[in-house]
Amino acid sequence: MDFEIKYKDARGRVGTLKTPHGIIKTPALMPVIHPGKQTLPVSDYGAEVVITNAYLIYKNEDLREKALTEGVHKLIDFPGPIVTDSGSFQLSEYGDVQVSNREIVKFQEKIGTDIGTSLDIPTPPSVKRERAERELVITLKRAQEALEVREELMLNSVVQGSTYPDLRSECAQKLGKMDFQVHPIGAVVPLMESYRYQELVEVVMSSVTHLPDSRPRHLMGAGHPMIFALAVAMGCDLFDSAAYILYAEDDRLLMPHGTLKLENLYEMPCSCEVCTSYTPEELRQIDKEKRTELLAIHNLRVSFAEMRLIRQAIVEGSLWELVEQRCRAHPFLLEALRSLKNYSVDLEKYDPPYKKSAFFYTGPESLNRPEVYRHLERMKRIPFSKSVLLLPRSSKPYSERLYEVPQKFYSIGDVVENPLGDMQVTVVDVPFGIIPLELDQVYPLAQNESPDDYDEDSIKMVNGVLQEYLQGFSQIIVSEGVAETFGLTVNDEYIFPEPLKIMVNDHKRIKMIADYQFGTGAGEGLFNEEVKIVKSRKTGKIRHVYDGDELIATLRASDGVFVMAKEGARRLHRYLPYPKNRVVVNEDAEPFAREGKSIFAKFVINCDIDIHAKEEVLIVNEQDQLLAFGKSILNGREILDFNTGQAVKTRKGGL
Ligand code: GUN
Ligand code: ZN
């Protein structure tokens, strides 16, 4: 299998898929080509891969002969990768097809398809369970049969199961164990046509969570750009569009936020060659055939532009922001976005903890993003002190702005005797809830923006977070603003004897960051009391931590987390119990790892399943000897599942 992931965001992946006729950059959109009818050269408008229908070719004598003698690439005049569908869609539309599964799989192999499809049964949404189960048995049987028939052909195997999440999961799991190259998710067209996006989320999530991470997934029949970002964020890699031509035939223009009717246009809505060369009136006057072609060109341009934007968003780590924008275009998409909160635990495992772009709060839905869930989970890694002081937000990073705060506060519970000492100072803010001052520069606690006037959902959420957090402290002091804003019940006034100057202790800071980043106690394991902290002369921020002359770790300025040096890796290795933060490589890879070469997934024999992409990881051999350390490109599950591409970018070997 030649699929590789290069960048990740949410459950989305930017990657490459190798086929006999070239490499596909994913996520990718495959325009649907009608064999025999197609005149529009889709590659001129950005298509690197197309999909056509093997059944339509098979059924037509002329097309069949030409395809069998000259190949499908000649037939549709496209030199790049071609995916073919099997006639299942015709089966769902007309109830019958005149070809067997074996026959159509063999035929696809003969005509030189790059990726073929077995004759699955597209069970529609909301059918009786008995029917969904019955048809699933046939779909699975045909998938198995396709494997027996094919020789070299790369094969799609479509996940079915109607709108029953458990059937989708079961189907995905079973197909995932067989030797297929791509997994389409089928029979979702009716859901999309009727705007049932929330159910689409359920179908897609129950499928992708049970498919192998190492294979691309194709959301079949999804051709409207308004759904691309959401689908990619759920882990879909391939899309096909008949929409570009069907909408054009119907005088409609695809846009990333919906559809426009030519008859309603006063202005052309984009900057493609069609929209900049014609006025709406001119287009309306052109004859039907030419007009359809022009609108199809616009539709393709817009669809490919959206796909490029999505790939860019994944690379820079702003896919959630794009998804939130797109899902505000339709109330049912918004409903779908909201339902993603049911999948926080799963999404958190795939979403990289460190990103190039800041977290933008764009509405209450942002509260359900994996970053927020992850932060609250990681806060549990931090030991409590006796007392806590809650402060309201100020400008970021908070510790640089809070040197002096007023004397008057409130207490919750007993009035506090001298709470200073090891008092924990925590800022209360939206969307992350609680931010210990020591962590105020760690991504995304510094790298986020949200409006100053908190909305009701945010207040409710933070109130819930506080109720839990405050249980850990015996003495609680809150500023008036925090108590009022977040509805905390206070006991009494508390006056600090002197104006409060808050200084963050550097040693406490580095330990807390390490605990937050690697787990409880990692700070203790990495940094004893004797370590030397070196700050940047320019910014005054912590840069390096040394043990004498030996560098332990560097605090990365961009996201405020530790990057190991050799000594840091050794200490982590000593401190963290196997297999925590480990990537275990086989004997063959050992010398390469020691030399500091990057680690390919195929050499990994075990790893910590909880590793996220972009984390600092230890590279060890089977005896758990430390060989090297580096930064993960994939998460633990992906590292184990993949046999192609890089798993870890090694920082240093020779340990
Ligand atoms: N095209 C749209 N939906 C489907 C499906 O469920 N199966 C196949 N094979 N093709 C499709
Ligand atoms: Zn346009």
Tab-separated table of all heavy atoms in Angstrom, residues 224-269:
chain	number	residue	atom	x	y	z
A	224	HIS	N	-20.158	18.382	-3.271
A	224	HIS	CA	-20.420	19.793	-2.997
A	224	HIS	C	-19.347	20.353	-2.073
A	224	HIS	O	-19.131	19.808	-0.995
A	224	HIS	CB	-21.803	19.977	-2.370
A	224	HIS	CG	-22.289	21.398	-2.494
A	224	HIS	ND1	-21.562	22.463	-1.997
A	224	HIS	CD2	-23.379	21.928	-3.100
A	224	HIS	CE1	-22.209	23.578	-2.273
A	224	HIS	NE2	-23.308	23.290	-2.951
A	225	PRO	N	-18.686	21.451	-2.494
A	225	PRO	CA	-17.565	21.947	-1.693
A	225	PRO	C	-17.951	22.353	-0.264
A	225	PRO	O	-17.085	22.407	0.594
A	225	PRO	CB	-17.047	23.153	-2.483
A	225	PRO	CG	-18.093	23.474	-3.500
A	225	PRO	CD	-18.862	22.214	-3.739
A	226	MET	N	-19.223	22.590	-0.003
A	226	MET	CA	-19.569	23.015	1.361
A	226	MET	C	-19.387	21.893	2.387
A	226	MET	O	-19.277	22.161	3.573
A	226	MET	CB	-20.979	23.618	1.430
A	226	MET	CG	-22.116	22.663	1.235
A	226	MET	SD	-23.677	23.547	0.923
A	226	MET	CE	-24.229	23.895	2.573
A	227	ILE	N	-19.266	20.674	1.938
A	227	ILE	CA	-19.134	19.541	2.861
A	227	ILE	C	-17.675	19.083	3.001
A	227	ILE	O	-17.322	18.344	3.917
A	227	ILE	CB	-20.031	18.369	2.378
A	227	ILE	CG1	-20.262	17.347	3.487
A	227	ILE	CG2	-19.461	17.681	1.161
A	227	ILE	CD1	-21.297	17.791	4.451
A	228	PHE	N	-16.809	19.549	2.101
A	228	PHE	CA	-15.432	19.018	2.058
A	228	PHE	C	-14.680	19.186	3.390
A	228	PHE	O	-14.086	18.239	3.894
A	228	PHE	CB	-14.606	19.688	0.946
A	228	PHE	CG	-15.052	19.369	-0.458
A	228	PHE	CD1	-14.545	20.098	-1.532
A	228	PHE	CD2	-15.959	18.356	-0.725
A	228	PHE	CE1	-14.935	19.823	-2.837
A	228	PHE	CE2	-16.366	18.068	-2.025
A	228	PHE	CZ	-15.852	18.810	-3.089
A	229	ALA	N	-14.691	20.401	3.928
A	229	ALA	CA	-13.872	20.671	5.119
A	229	ALA	C	-14.305	19.782	6.286
A	229	ALA	O	-13.468	19.164	6.962
A	229	ALA	CB	-13.953	22.145	5.504
A	230	LEU	N	-15.605	19.699	6.513
A	230	LEU	CA	-16.119	18.858	7.600
A	230	LEU	C	-15.726	17.399	7.379
A	230	LEU	O	-15.261	16.718	8.300
A	230	LEU	CB	-17.641	19.001	7.692
A	230	LEU	CG	-18.352	18.089	8.693
A	230	LEU	CD1	-17.930	18.400	10.119
A	230	LEU	CD2	-19.873	18.211	8.555
A	231	ALA	N	-15.902	16.920	6.154
A	231	ALA	CA	-15.604	15.510	5.868
A	231	ALA	C	-14.110	15.229	6.037
A	231	ALA	O	-13.726	14.185	6.576
A	231	ALA	CB	-16.069	15.149	4.464
A	232	VAL	N	-13.276	16.155	5.589
A	232	VAL	CA	-11.828	15.967	5.754
A	232	VAL	C	-11.471	15.946	7.239
A	232	VAL	O	-10.679	15.112	7.688
A	232	VAL	CB	-11.034	17.070	5.010
A	232	VAL	CG1	-9.562	17.034	5.411
A	232	VAL	CG2	-11.156	16.891	3.497
A	233	ALA	N	-12.086	16.833	8.007
A	233	ALA	CA	-11.795	16.880	9.444
A	233	ALA	C	-12.187	15.576	10.136
A	233	ALA	O	-11.664	15.252	11.199
A	233	ALA	CB	-12.514	18.056	10.093
A	234	MET	N	-13.121	14.833	9.538
A	234	MET	CA	-13.499	13.533	10.098
A	234	MET	C	-12.629	12.401	9.558
A	234	MET	O	-12.822	11.246	9.924
A	234	MET	CB	-14.974	13.238	9.784
A	234	MET	CG	-15.934	14.174	10.494
A	234	MET	SD	-17.656	13.632	10.389
A	234	MET	CE	-18.047	13.935	8.670
A	235	GLY	N	-11.706	12.717	8.651
A	235	GLY	CA	-10.775	11.684	8.185
A	235	GLY	C	-11.028	11.176	6.780
A	235	GLY	O	-10.505	10.124	6.414
A	236	CYS	N	-11.822	11.886	5.971
A	236	CYS	CA	-12.018	11.473	4.579
A	236	CYS	C	-10.920	12.076	3.697
A	236	CYS	O	-10.529	13.225	3.893
A	236	CYS	CB	-13.388	11.912	4.074
A	236	CYS	SG	-14.732	11.143	4.994
A	237	ASP	N	-10.447	11.277	2.741
A	237	ASP	CA	-9.308	11.697	1.926
A	237	ASP	C	-9.654	11.907	0.462
A	237	ASP	O	-8.939	12.589	-0.253
A	237	ASP	CB	-8.216	10.613	1.984
A	237	ASP	CG	-7.850	10.249	3.406
A	237	ASP	OD1	-7.184	11.067	4.057
A	237	ASP	OD2	-8.256	9.173	3.875
A	238	LEU	N	-10.725	11.253	0.012
A	238	LEU	CA	-11.073	11.331	-1.402
A	238	LEU	C	-12.552	11.695	-1.557
A	238	LEU	O	-13.388	11.286	-0.746
A	238	LEU	CB	-10.817	9.977	-2.087
A	238	LEU	CG	-9.363	9.499	-2.115
A	238	LEU	CD1	-9.285	8.029	-2.517
A	238	LEU	CD2	-8.529	10.354	-3.064
A	239	PHE	N	-12.817	12.465	-2.592
A	239	PHE	CA	-14.182	12.889	-2.890
A	239	PHE	C	-14.396	12.749	-4.385
A	239	PHE	O	-13.451	12.854	-5.151
A	239	PHE	CB	-14.369	14.357	-2.482
A	239	PHE	CG	-14.154	14.569	-1.013
A	239	PHE	CD1	-12.874	14.749	-0.505
A	239	PHE	CD2	-15.227	14.555	-0.142
A	239	PHE	CE1	-12.667	14.906	0.853
A	239	PHE	CE2	-15.031	14.702	1.212
A	239	PHE	CZ	-13.747	14.884	1.719
A	240	ASP	N	-15.649	12.519	-4.792
A	240	ASP	CA	-15.898	12.528	-6.222
A	240	ASP	C	-17.014	13.516	-6.498
A	240	ASP	O	-17.922	13.693	-5.693
A	240	ASP	CB	-16.259	11.131	-6.722
A	240	ASP	CG	-17.537	10.609	-6.120
A	240	ASP	OD1	-17.493	10.145	-4.956
A	240	ASP	OD2	-18.585	10.679	-6.787
A	241	SER	N	-16.883	14.168	-7.627
A	241	SER	CA	-17.866	15.182	-7.961
A	241	SER	C	-18.496	14.935	-9.316
A	241	SER	O	-17.850	15.071	-10.351
A	241	SER	CB	-17.224	16.573	-7.954
A	241	SER	OG	-18.163	17.524	-8.404
A	242	ALA	N	-19.778	14.566	-9.273
A	242	ALA	CA	-20.599	14.680	-10.468
A	242	ALA	C	-21.318	16.016	-10.360
A	242	ALA	O	-21.858	16.531	-11.330
A	242	ALA	CB	-21.598	13.538	-10.549
A	243	ALA	N	-21.293	16.563	-9.149
A	243	ALA	CA	-22.011	17.814	-8.878
A	243	ALA	C	-21.581	18.925	-9.836
A	243	ALA	O	-22.420	19.711	-10.290
A	243	ALA	CB	-21.781	18.245	-7.439
A	244	TYR	N	-20.297	18.977	-10.167
A	244	TYR	CA	-19.814	20.090	-10.992
A	244	TYR	C	-20.588	20.173	-12.305
A	244	TYR	O	-20.912	21.256	-12.790
A	244	TYR	CB	-18.301	19.971	-11.244
A	244	TYR	CG	-17.902	18.958	-12.294
A	244	TYR	CD1	-17.658	19.358	-13.609
A	244	TYR	CD2	-17.762	17.615	-11.992
A	244	TYR	CE1	-17.293	18.435	-14.586
A	244	TYR	CE2	-17.401	16.695	-12.947
A	244	TYR	CZ	-17.167	17.096	-14.245
A	244	TYR	OH	-16.820	16.193	-15.205
A	245	ILE	N	-20.913	18.986	-12.862
A	245	ILE	CA	-21.617	18.995	-14.151
A	245	ILE	C	-23.143	18.993	-13.947
A	245	ILE	O	-23.872	19.697	-14.638
A	245	ILE	CB	-21.129	17.840	-15.067
A	245	ILE	CG1	-21.724	17.937	-16.466
A	245	ILE	CG2	-21.381	16.476	-14.482
A	245	ILE	CD1	-21.155	19.061	-17.294
A	246	LEU	N	-23.610	18.241	-12.964
A	246	LEU	CA	-25.068	18.179	-12.719
A	246	LEU	C	-25.625	19.555	-12.351
A	246	LEU	O	-26.673	19.978	-12.840
A	246	LEU	CB	-25.380	17.178	-11.604
A	246	LEU	CG	-25.003	15.718	-11.898
A	246	LEU	CD1	-25.293	14.826	-10.692
A	246	LEU	CD2	-25.751	15.212	-13.135
A	247	TYR	N	-24.893	20.277	-11.470
A	247	TYR	CA	-25.345	21.618	-11.082
A	247	TYR	C	-25.262	22.571	-12.273
A	247	TYR	O	-26.128	23.422	-12.456
A	247	TYR	CB	-24.519	22.156	-9.907
A	247	TYR	CG	-24.948	21.618	-8.557
A	247	TYR	CD1	-24.842	20.261	-8.256
A	247	TYR	CD2	-25.464	22.465	-7.576
A	247	TYR	CE1	-25.236	19.759	-7.024
A	247	TYR	CE2	-25.862	21.971	-6.332
A	247	TYR	CZ	-25.743	20.619	-6.065
A	247	TYR	OH	-26.133	20.132	-4.842
A	248	ALA	N	-24.212	22.414	-13.083
A	248	ALA	CA	-24.061	23.280	-14.257
A	248	ALA	C	-25.228	23.083	-15.216
A	248	ALA	O	-25.782	24.057	-15.743
A	248	ALA	CB	-22.730	22.992	-14.951
A	249	GLU	N	-25.612	21.834	-15.417
A	249	GLU	CA	-26.742	21.544	-16.311
A	249	GLU	C	-28.028	22.182	-15.804
A	249	GLU	O	-28.946	22.476	-16.564
A	249	GLU	CB	-26.935	20.017	-16.446
A	249	GLU	CG	-25.905	19.385	-17.369
A	249	GLU	CD	-25.850	17.859	-17.271
A	249	GLU	OE1	-26.587	17.284	-16.441
A	249	GLU	OE2	-25.048	17.257	-18.012
A	250	ASP	N	-28.061	22.397	-14.498
A	250	ASP	CA	-29.244	22.967	-13.867
A	250	ASP	C	-29.073	24.477	-13.611
A	250	ASP	O	-29.813	25.070	-12.829
A	250	ASP	CB	-29.458	22.217	-12.544
A	250	ASP	CG	-30.833	22.425	-11.973
A	250	ASP	OD1	-31.770	22.683	-12.757
A	250	ASP	OD2	-30.963	22.362	-10.735
A	251	ASP	N	-28.081	25.099	-14.269
A	251	ASP	CA	-27.799	26.544	-14.122
A	251	ASP	C	-27.538	26.957	-12.679
A	251	ASP	O	-27.989	28.002	-12.219
A	251	ASP	CB	-28.959	27.379	-14.695
A	251	ASP	CG	-28.912	27.408	-16.219
A	251	ASP	OD1	-27.795	27.324	-16.783
A	251	ASP	OD2	-29.988	27.508	-16.845
A	252	ARG	N	-26.790	26.105	-11.970
A	252	ARG	CA	-26.451	26.455	-10.588
A	252	ARG	C	-24.941	26.475	-10.393
A	252	ARG	O	-24.218	25.692	-10.991
A	252	ARG	CB	-27.093	25.468	-9.615
A	252	ARG	CG	-28.610	25.664	-9.532
A	252	ARG	CD	-29.212	24.835	-8.432
A	252	ARG	NE	-29.131	23.404	-8.706
A	252	ARG	CZ	-29.381	22.469	-7.800
A	252	ARG	NH1	-29.719	22.803	-6.575
A	252	ARG	NH2	-29.295	21.201	-8.127
A	253	LEU	N	-24.512	27.400	-9.539
A	253	LEU	CA	-23.084	27.566	-9.272
A	253	LEU	C	-22.749	27.047	-7.880
A	253	LEU	O	-23.376	27.453	-6.887
A	253	LEU	CB	-22.682	29.042	-9.369
A	253	LEU	CG	-22.673	29.672	-10.767
A	253	LEU	CD1	-24.085	30.093	-11.160
A	253	LEU	CD2	-21.740	30.875	-10.797
A	254	LEU	N	-21.753	26.167	-7.817
A	254	LEU	CA	-21.269	25.689	-6.526
A	254	LEU	C	-20.428	26.776	-5.880
A	254	LEU	O	-19.642	27.445	-6.555
A	254	LEU	CB	-20.395	24.438	-6.698
A	254	LEU	CG	-21.042	23.181	-7.267
A	254	LEU	CD1	-19.974	22.112	-7.500
A	254	LEU	CD2	-22.115	22.663	-6.322
A	255	MET	N	-20.585	26.956	-4.581
A	255	MET	CA	-19.717	27.841	-3.808
A	255	MET	C	-19.372	27.109	-2.504
A	255	MET	O	-20.127	26.224	-2.095
A	255	MET	CB	-20.441	29.159	-3.478
A	255	MET	CG	-20.810	29.999	-4.687
A	255	MET	SD	-19.380	30.599	-5.627
A	255	MET	CE	-18.764	31.874	-4.530
A	256	PRO	N	-18.266	27.475	-1.848
A	256	PRO	CA	-17.916	26.754	-0.617
A	256	PRO	C	-18.966	26.923	0.484
A	256	PRO	O	-18.995	26.156	1.436
A	256	PRO	CB	-16.602	27.408	-0.188
A	256	PRO	CG	-16.078	28.089	-1.390
A	256	PRO	CD	-17.263	28.460	-2.228
A	257	HIS	N	-19.806	27.917	0.358
A	257	HIS	CA	-20.821	28.124	1.398
A	257	HIS	C	-22.228	27.837	0.888
A	257	HIS	O	-23.209	28.213	1.532
A	257	HIS	CB	-20.734	29.539	1.945
A	257	HIS	CG	-20.694	30.576	0.863
A	257	HIS	ND1	-19.520	31.142	0.431
A	257	HIS	CD2	-21.670	31.076	0.102
A	257	HIS	CE1	-19.792	31.968	-0.551
A	257	HIS	NE2	-21.087	31.957	-0.776
A	258	GLY	N	-22.360	27.207	-0.278
A	258	GLY	CA	-23.700	26.869	-0.742
A	258	GLY	C	-23.803	26.911	-2.253
A	258	GLY	O	-22.808	26.777	-2.954
A	259	THR	N	-25.013	27.098	-2.728
A	259	THR	CA	-25.273	27.049	-4.163
A	259	THR	C	-25.953	28.338	-4.596
A	259	THR	O	-26.790	28.863	-3.866
A	259	THR	CB	-26.207	25.858	-4.460
A	259	THR	OG1	-25.664	24.696	-3.852
A	259	THR	CG2	-26.339	25.616	-5.953
A	260	LEU	N	-25.570	28.841	-5.768
A	260	LEU	CA	-26.218	30.043	-6.300
A	260	LEU	C	-26.913	29.693	-7.609
A	260	LEU	O	-26.396	28.914	-8.405
A	260	LEU	CB	-25.175	31.143	-6.554
A	260	LEU	CG	-24.393	31.632	-5.336
A	260	LEU	CD1	-23.244	32.542	-5.768
A	260	LEU	CD2	-25.312	32.360	-4.363
A	261	LYS	N	-28.088	30.310	-7.812
A	261	LYS	CA	-28.792	30.090	-9.078
A	261	LYS	C	-28.427	31.191	-10.048
A	261	LYS	O	-28.489	32.378	-9.694
A	261	LYS	CB	-30.301	30.121	-8.833
A	261	LYS	CG	-30.824	28.910	-8.111
A	261	LYS	CD	-32.337	28.979	-8.014
A	261	LYS	CE	-32.871	27.701	-7.402
A	261	LYS	NZ	-34.233	27.873	-6.883
A	262	LEU	N	-28.097	30.793	-11.258
A	262	LEU	CA	-27.720	31.797	-12.268
A	262	LEU	C	-28.836	32.823	-12.438
A	262	LEU	O	-28.582	34.017	-12.586
A	262	LEU	CB	-27.403	31.106	-13.604
A	262	LEU	CG	-27.022	32.039	-14.761
A	262	LEU	CD1	-25.770	32.851	-14.428
A	262	LEU	CD2	-26.821	31.243	-16.052
A	263	GLU	N	-30.065	32.380	-12.380
A	263	GLU	CA	-31.187	33.309	-12.605
A	263	GLU	C	-31.233	34.420	-11.554
A	263	GLU	O	-31.774	35.479	-11.801
A	263	GLU	CB	-32.523	32.542	-12.640
A	263	GLU	CG	-32.891	31.916	-11.307
A	263	GLU	CD	-34.192	31.100	-11.358
A	263	GLU	OE1	-34.312	30.272	-12.271
A	263	GLU	OE2	-35.041	31.297	-10.493
A	264	ASN	N	-30.666	34.169	-10.369
A	264	ASN	CA	-30.693	35.186	-9.307
A	264	ASN	C	-29.471	36.083	-9.283
A	264	ASN	O	-29.378	36.988	-8.468
A	264	ASN	CB	-30.797	34.510	-7.940
A	264	ASN	CG	-32.113	33.788	-7.758
A	264	ASN	OD1	-33.090	34.113	-8.443
A	264	ASN	ND2	-32.144	32.819	-6.873
A	265	LEU	N	-28.505	35.797	-10.146
A	265	LEU	CA	-27.233	36.507	-10.015
A	265	LEU	C	-27.297	37.931	-10.567
A	265	LEU	O	-27.754	38.162	-11.689
A	265	LEU	CB	-26.104	35.743	-10.712
A	265	LEU	CG	-25.601	34.492	-10.003
A	265	LEU	CD1	-24.308	34.001	-10.659
A	265	LEU	CD2	-25.367	34.730	-8.518
A	266	TYR	N	-26.822	38.858	-9.751
A	266	TYR	CA	-26.656	40.251	-10.129
A	266	TYR	C	-25.187	40.506	-10.415
A	266	TYR	O	-24.822	41.275	-11.276
A	266	TYR	CB	-27.148	41.122	-8.972
A	266	TYR	CG	-26.970	42.603	-9.151
A	266	TYR	CD1	-27.767	43.302	-10.063
A	266	TYR	CD2	-26.014	43.302	-8.407
A	266	TYR	CE1	-27.614	44.666	-10.221
A	266	TYR	CE2	-25.858	44.668	-8.568
A	266	TYR	CZ	-26.656	45.359	-9.472
A	266	TYR	OH	-26.497	46.705	-9.630
A	267	GLU	N	-24.332	39.756	-9.650
A	267	GLU	CA	-22.881	39.813	-9.842
A	267	GLU	C	-22.355	38.381	-9.949
A	267	GLU	O	-22.904	37.481	-9.325
A	267	GLU	CB	-22.199	40.464	-8.627
A	267	GLU	CG	-22.534	41.921	-8.397
A	267	GLU	CD	-21.804	42.864	-9.343
A	267	GLU	OE1	-21.035	42.381	-10.205
A	267	GLU	OE2	-22.004	44.082	-9.207
A	268	MET	N	-21.260	38.208	-10.661
A	268	MET	CA	-20.606	36.906	-10.656
A	268	MET	C	-19.828	36.790	-9.345
A	268	MET	O	-19.188	37.742	-8.913
A	268	MET	CB	-19.666	36.753	-11.852
A	268	MET	CG	-20.381	36.716	-13.213
A	268	MET	SD	-21.720	35.510	-13.303
A	268	MET	CE	-20.815	33.957	-13.311
A	269	PRO	N	-19.882	35.623	-8.703
A	269	PRO	CA	-19.461	35.542	-7.306
A	269	PRO	C	-17.999	35.211	-7.050
A	269	PRO	O	-17.591	35.174	-5.896
A	269	PRO	CB	-20.328	34.400	-6.776
A	269	PRO	CG	-20.496	33.498	-7.951
A	269	PRO	CD	-20.496	34.373	-9.168
